[in-house]
């Protein structure tokens, strides 16, 4: 029970200090809005392209929302040494890091619904398999956040964390099937797509929205969940190695 | 606290043996062993870079030891540094609270990290704000606090959960005289309630005033560990006179011991230090120096203190140690 009191208060503190700050709230809305507008307009094929673009826009909103916020907040707390206070508290490192990442996961999930709400005004979303979309959004939120955590643990400065996260994020836009089908990529690049976790999340969303997935959905879910576990375990390992050394 | 040690059937509340810690090529702590008794204030005294903070970091779980064993409150923390974190409170050498939260919110948050419920943590936070004289600033952001206020709030955050063992890393460094005095009073108050205090400091007078036992640490090694009273024993009863001189003529270092065999002399630039088991009579010394053309500008009696012991044992000038840490215009050593 004591651990969960700590968990809840870390989460609330992070929401207040970082995620619910007016600039971040507006960024969380404007950023997905901008991506949505850009891709919908650029596609040039009218409203019928909305459904095809929706999985990519949802994913990119989650990916940028979670990784940007988490890498900055963790690196900032490390620099100001307030993170030490958390490390000294009598809760397990696993619970502590889950508390630190929960805010970013929540932020990413909220970001995901910005393009969905916009799309709801433009096209009929009744054909979408929401029972797949919701868990997929949650899993993409978790995997992106843990990717952000992995990056944050490897960086010591805020600018370093941002640069390092772009190194992962921008290639994902092109490699993970967000807007360009993986099958249209040169064959020697495709293996890269399959080692990136976002690929599997986008595939589920494509399947849920338009039934155009390239892999069995159960396999997508399984691989995505495995990525979550691996990234979290690796991050914990790096925290112990780099921060408690 | 004594109860923790009693429950575990141990006489010592912190038990460290052969602790070694290095960062890359740098050996920060070299095979140190010590014990802290329940309810005592144990001082770790040494210059910057001696290994004081590294020792605290290893004991509290912020750093991993290379070798040795650690027991805190009877719990073996050698391989699981988190095991005893519920027993300890830490006041780090730098304030590390959240600048965007108010003083009150910071304390409540720190209390929550130890699983305290809302009503309990708010009551305790108000109580501590009052104890540290920060009640009027409770709703101000931590970022807007003065340095002394930040230090006091950081101290309050370290004891919010009433830990039986408290680690204080340079608690009065860089704060004003009044705040430093208040902090020392609070440390004594905590001890009287049974809290065990592990205190690192480079202020020798502070260690002498507060600590029951002291370890001198230099270059990562404990060079002396004893009760404060025992450390002072060799210098107790000694009479020391410091003569400030403008010039030194002749071969004083050879002549003076011959003329005054009952005294011991130390000659440094512009100073002659006279040590004796008897009262030092100033007049013959002044006459002797005057006859040799040595101008004496000041003669003052020096009360032997722990500083003399420290200098004797470590060879480090205490004044230099203070200068290393202090910034102009501040000093918590009064």
């Amino acid at each position: 029970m004591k651990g969960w009191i700590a968990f809840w208060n870390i989460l609330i503190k992070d929401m207040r200090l970082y995620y619910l700050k007016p600039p971040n709230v507006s960024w969380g809305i404007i950023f997905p809005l901008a991506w949505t507008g850009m891709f919908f307009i650029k596609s040039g094929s009218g409203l019928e392209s909305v459904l095809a673009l929706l999985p990519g826009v949802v994913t990119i909103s989650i990916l940028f929302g979670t990784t940007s916020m988490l890498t900055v907040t963790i690196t900032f707390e490390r620099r100001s040494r307030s993170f030490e206070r958390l490390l000294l508290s009598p809760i397990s490192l696993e619970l502590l890091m889950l508390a630190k990442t929960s805010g970013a996961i929540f932020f990413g999930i909220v970001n995901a619904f910005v393009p969905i709400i916009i799309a709801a005004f433009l096209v009929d979303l009744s054909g979408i398999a929401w029972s797949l979309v919701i868990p997929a959004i949650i899993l993409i939120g978790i995997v992106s956040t843990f990717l952000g955590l992995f990056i944050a643990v490897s960086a010591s400065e805020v600018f370093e964390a941002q640069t390092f996260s772009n190194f992962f994020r921008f290639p994902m836009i092109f490699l993970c099937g967000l807007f360009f089908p993986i099958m249209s990529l040169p064959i020697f690049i495709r293996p890269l797509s399959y080692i990136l976790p976002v690929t599997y999340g986008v595939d589920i969303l494509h399947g849920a929205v338009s039934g155009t997935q390239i892999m069995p959905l159960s396999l997508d879910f399984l691989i995505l969940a495995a990525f979550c576990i691996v990234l979290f375990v690796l991050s914990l390992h790096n925290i112990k190695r780099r921060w408690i050394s | 606290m004594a109860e923790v040690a009693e429950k575990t059937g141990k006489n010592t509340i912190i038990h460290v043996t052969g602790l070694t810690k290095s960062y890359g090529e740098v050996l920060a702590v070299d095979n140190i062993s010590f014990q802290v008794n329940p309810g005592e204030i144990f001082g770790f005294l040494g210059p910057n870079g001696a290994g004081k903070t590294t020792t605290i970091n290893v004991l509290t779980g912020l750093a991993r030891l290379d070798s040795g064993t650690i027991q805190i409150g009877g719990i073996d923390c050698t391989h699981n540094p988190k095991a005893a974190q519920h027993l300890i409170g830490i006041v780090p050498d730098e304030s590390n609270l959240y600048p965007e939260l108010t003083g009150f919110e910071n304390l409540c948050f720190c209390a929550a990290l130890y699983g305290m419920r809302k009503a309990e943590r708010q009551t305790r936070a108000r109580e501590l704000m009052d104890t540290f004289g920060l009640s009027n600033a409770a709703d101000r952001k931590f970022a807007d606090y003065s340095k002394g206020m930040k230090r006091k709030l950081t101290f309050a955050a370290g004891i919010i959960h009433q830990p039986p063992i408290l680690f204080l890393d340079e608690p009065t460094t860089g704060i004003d005289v009044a705040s430093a005095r208040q902090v020392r009073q609070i440390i004594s108050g905590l001890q009287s309630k049974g809290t065990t205090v592990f205190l690192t400091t480079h202020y020798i007078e502070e260690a002498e005033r507060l600590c029951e036992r002291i370890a001198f640490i230099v270059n990562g090694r404990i060079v002396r560990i004893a009760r404060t009273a025992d450390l002072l024993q060799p210098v107790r009863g000694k009479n020391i006179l410091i003569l400030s001189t403008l010039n030194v003529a002749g071969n004083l270092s050879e002549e003076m011991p011959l003329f005054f065999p009952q005294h011991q002399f130390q000659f440094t630039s512009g100073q002659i230090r006279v040590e004796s088991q008897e009262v030092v009579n100033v007049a013959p010394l002044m006459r002797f120096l005057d006859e040799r053309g040595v101008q004496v500008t000041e003669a003052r009696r020096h009360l032997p203190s722990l500083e003399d012991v420290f200098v004797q044992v470590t060879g480090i000038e205490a004044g230099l140690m203070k200068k290393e840490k202090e910034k102009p215009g501040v000093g918590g050593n009064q």
Side-chain angles (χ1 to χ4, degrees), chain B:
Chain B
M1 211 187 287
E3 294 151 25
V4 176
E6 277 163 24
K7 274 181 201 167
T8 52
K10 303 279 178 186
N11 294 324
T12 57
I13 198 156
I14 301 173
H15 194 104
V16 175
T17 50
L19 172 62
T20 300
K21 171 73 189 169
S22 52
Y23 293 103
E25 304 261 300
V26 180
L27 187 60
V29 175
D30 184 8
N31 192 28
I32 62 170
S33 300
F34 61 90
Q35 292 87 43
V36 180
N37 301 317
E40 79 171 338
I41 301 180
F42 181 81
F44 227 47
L45 190 63
N48 265 0
K52 305 189 297 286
T53 300
T54 300
T55 305
I56 283 203
N57 284 348
V58 172
L59 293 181
T60 56
L62 276 182
R64 252 172 241 287
L65 73 174
D66 296 339
S67 60
T69 62
I70 299 170
Q71 276 201 346
I72 293 177
I75 301 166
D76 187 356
C77 306
T78 311
H79 302 294
N80 182 12
K82 282 211 149 283
Q85 279 182 334
H86 62 289
L87 295 176
I88 63 177
I90 301 113
V91 179
D93 57 345
E94 279 176 38
S95 300
N96 63 355
L97 295 169
Y98 294 89
E100 287 294 301
L101 294 181
T102 67
F104 182 72
E105 286 168 344
N106 261 303
L107 289 188
C108 288
F109 176 70
C110 291
L113 292 178
Y114 291 87
M116 287 167 71
R117 290 176 184 278
K118 194 175 180 181
E120 187 189 2
R121 56 182 185 249
Q122 286 185 343
T123 308
R124 178 79 178 135
R126 278 193 202 97
E127 188 186 305
L128 283 173
M129 297 292 299
D130 193 40
T131 306
F132 282 87
L134 295 170
S135 295
N136 291 336
D139 298 326
R140 267 165 60 189
K141 282 187 178 175
F142 184 67
D144 298 333
Y145 275 30
S146 70
K147 197 167 184 181
M149 289 163 80
K150 280 182 178 168
R151 202 82 196 101
K152 285 197 271 186
L153 195 76
T154 307
F155 196 113
I159 57 172
I160 188 89
H161 56 296
Q162 296 174 294
I165 305 164
L166 183 61
F167 289 92
L168 302 174
D169 196 0
E170 310 274 3
T172 58
T173 298
I175 61 173
D176 62 84
V177 174
S179 300
R181 184 172 296 154
Q182 191 186 8
V183 165
R184 280 196 290 267
Q185 281 167 355
I186 288 166
I187 296 170
S188 298
L190 287 168
Q191 189 212 11
S192 65
K193 288 178 189 163
T195 305
T196 306
V197 180
F198 183 97
L199 169 82
T200 76
T201 182
H202 64 280
Y203 291 134
I204 298 177
E205 301 88 337
E206 183 169 273
E208 184 177 345
R209 212 177 296 176
L210 288 172
C211 302
E212 286 158 279
R213 285 193 312 127
I214 293 172
F216 292 156
I217 180 165
V218 181
N219 295 329
R221 306 194 79 156
I222 292 180
V223 291
R224 185 83 183 269
I225 184 165
R227 290 177 55 80
T228 311
D230 295 340
L231 284 170
L232 285 166
Q233 195 58 43
V235 292
R236 199 161 275 159
K238 264 192 181 170
N239 293 287
I240 299 171
L241 185 75
I242 309 282
L243 299 168
S244 299
T245 59
L246 279 182
N247 60 324
V248 176
N251 200 356
L252 290 178
S253 57
E254 283 182 13
E255 282 187 70
M256 287 186 85
L258 293 174
F259 270 81
F260 306 98
Q262 71 277 32
H263 303 332
Q264 289 166 325
F265 296 91
Q266 273 177 21
F267 297 87
T268 51
S269 166
Q271 272 194 350
I272 303 170
R273 182 186 162 100
V274 188
E275 247 182 64
S276 182
Q277 291 299 332
E278 328 168 345
V279 174
V280 180
N281 196 347
V282 184
L285 284 168
M286 297 298 276
R287 265 199 306 276
F288 177 88
L289 292 168
D290 190 43
E291 282 164 9
R292 280 152 187 81
V294 178
Q295 292 178 47
V296 179
T297 55
E298 188 189 15
R300 69 189 153 85
R301 193 177 167 218
H302 173 75
L303 290 173
S305 66
L306 190 66
E307 186 173 319
D308 298 283
V309 182
F310 182 80
V311 173
Q312 209 172 50
V313 172
T314 65
I316 295 168
E317 280 297 328
L320 284 177
M321 204 161 84
K322 279 183 209 167
K323 278 181 198 162
E324 274 177 17
K325 198 84 179 181
E326 281 175 1
K327 290 184 176 74
V330 292
N333 186 23
Q334 307 300 308

